[in-house]
Amino acid sequence: VSKTLSTVPNINFYTILTSLRIEHSKQLILNNDNARIIDIALECGFSTERSFHRSFKKSTGMTPLEYKRLHG
């Protein structure tokens, strides 16, 4: 899979994996009122809440809590 992805310009395995993790986290944020952000981050494969916040904001332009307020 990684070899096939390397033929597509500007896309690598890590980029696709992070995108999938962020999409999954969006669903968890909106569907789990009592879930803590750290728990969602860990469930989606991020090692720290900080790395999750950074990736989430880069992907969506907002923090997870801003996303929940806007879409929840």
Side-chain angles (χ1 to χ4, degrees):
V1 173
S2 182
K3 195 175 220 180
T4 303
L5 293 175
S6 67
T7 62
V8 180
N10 300 319
I11 296 180
N12 60 42
F13 180 76
Y14 178 76
T15 301
I16 292 171
L17 180 60
T18 301
S19 177
L20 291 171
R21 287 175 171 169
I22 294 297
E23 289 304 312
H24 183 58
S25 73
K26 288 178 185 179
Q27 296 302 312
L28 294 175
I29 288 168
L30 296 179
N31 295 322
N32 296 303
D33 290 335
N34 297 325
R36 297 180 314 158
I37 296 298
I38 185 63
D39 295 331
I40 291 172
L42 295 173
E43 183 173 332
C44 292
F46 292 91
S47 57
T48 66
E49 189 172 354
R50 184 177 178 166
S51 66
F52 173 61
H53 272 267
R54 186 176 31 246
S55 295
F56 195 94
K57 188 157 187 166
K58 183 178 179 182
S59 175
T60 65
M62 61 188 86
T63 68
L65 290 177
E66 291 170 336
Y67 181 83
K68 183 173 183 112
R69 287 185 190 122
L70 184 64
H71 298 286

